Amino acid sequence: MSNLQQNSGRSAFDIPTSDVMTQLPTQFFATLVQNVNHEIASGHDVINLGQGNPDTPTPPHIVKTLQESAENPLYHKYSPFSGHAFLKEAIAKRYQEDYNVDLDPETEVAILFGGKTGLVQLPQVLLNPGDVCLVPDPGYPDYWSGVALAKAQMSFMPLLESNAFLPDYEAISDEVRDKAKLMYLNYPNNPTSATAPLSFYEDTVEFAIRNKIVIASDFAYGAIGFDGHRPVSFLQAPGAKEVGIEFYTLSKTYNMAGWRVGFALGNAEIISKINLLQDHIYVSLFGGIQAAAAAALTSSQQCVTELVARYESRRNALYEALSSIGWVASKPGGSFFSWLPVPSGFTSAEFADLLLREAKVAVAPGIGFGTHGEGYVRAGLLSDEKRLEEAARRIGKLNLFK
Ligand SMILES: Cc1ncc(COP(=O)(O)O)c(C=O)c1O
């Protein structure tokens, strides 16, 4: 039998790998997921606060719109390349209502396959090899992937508790400012749960103009603000559209993480570049999903109010329980994460391992988000109050905070 007929499943020759694939960052959290799965497979009741997947379902009116739209033959055809006008109009209307920001649906909105796709595409449409991208540390690891795919370089902006987890622009050297072409920001922040005031974005616009740096504001948790405060959008700062864009996603606002609907909003030149790249890769989202996404954005926002109230109630329950075991941390102002200091004597990875092994509670070690994430672990508010209190009770039994 010849090699071809044997069909062993092994490659007949060395399959090539592009250099860029070898440059992709390693997936730090893959090991954590494996360890959690191992504990669960061994029969343990693990309280998993390590991930960022919304735990409650998409509101029924949105699901119903998808069900009905699935029968519309119009949506069985290719969607328009850059998506349906009605969806772009719906997000523009939402920004007008929620943030008093004007967006031209035709030129200032790009529809994305989830926010992640746009965040990873952006360096590919703006940067050349050797260009520098300013990235928050700690930060969402997908920024690193986009920069690697563009063969650009990262320069990290430390987010320190002493500076309210905002970057200190004064600390960025002249050399980095010269080479930097793009900066990612993300408030409410993953992982630190910090929020940013409008004055910070005003300073950011000024810094961007002075140094010719495009700003990419990742507003994934834009809907989730506590204690009566709606998080500020970067686009609310005067001049923001002249220097950058904002990424918005339906994943967290409407529990639609699996639906993959996101947007890039703002500077028309950047939006057209994103649309151009996407024209070469995709033909927009399934029309039925676009119809359901538009329904989410244009119908009553009561479901969002209820979701935010749920996270706030969980936050309060968790922090009360943590303080009763002596684990002191400042309460998050937004997002669905808590950023908790690691007790002395442990690295964040050692501490997360210990909590998983001894308390069967999974948290994400801060080091996975960057060097300046060391000293913290991230816990999600993605279980109900009882489970969060139970997590704190189990951790309390380890007597680590007395
Ligand atoms: C900070 C941040 N940005 C962007 C995203 C991407 O969201 P999606 O791709 O679901 O829109 C996430 C998801 O966890 C996130 O935490």
Side-chain angles (χ1 to χ4, degrees), residues 52-54 112-119 139-143 185-191 218-221 247-252 256-263 336-337 378:
N53 212 344
L112 308 169
F113 284 73
K116 172 177 170 135
T117 311
L119 289 163
Y140 180 58
D142 284 345
Y143 310 140
L185 293 173
N186 166 226
Y187 296 96
N189 184 256
N190 177 8
D218 177 1
F219 206 36
Y221 300 92
F247 288 99
Y248 194 78
T249 168
L250 304 195
S251 294
K252 323 288 170 165
M256 290 175 70
W259 298 55
R260 314 308 303 134
V261 188
F263 302 94
F336 51 48
F337 296 114
R378 191 194 72 178

Side-chain angles (χ1 to χ4, degrees), residues 124-142:
Q124 295 174 76
V125 303
L126 296 183
L127 304 184
N128 285 308
D131 287 343
V132 166
C133 178
L134 290 158
V135 178
D137 173 9
Y140 180 58
D142 284 345

Side-chain angles (χ1 to χ4, degrees), residues 2 7 16 33 35 41 62 70 125-126 158 176 181 185 204 213 219 230 237 261 272 275 280 286 327 371 377 387 398:
S2 80
N7 206 3
V33 172
N35 293 346
I62 302 172
V125 303
L126 296 183
V176 170
K181 301 260 169 68
L185 293 173
T204 300
I213 296 173
F219 206 36
R230 182 193 288 284
V261 188
S272 85
N275 276 332
H280 286 270
F286 170 52
W327 197 353
T371 320
V377 290
R387 291 288 277 175
L398 305 180

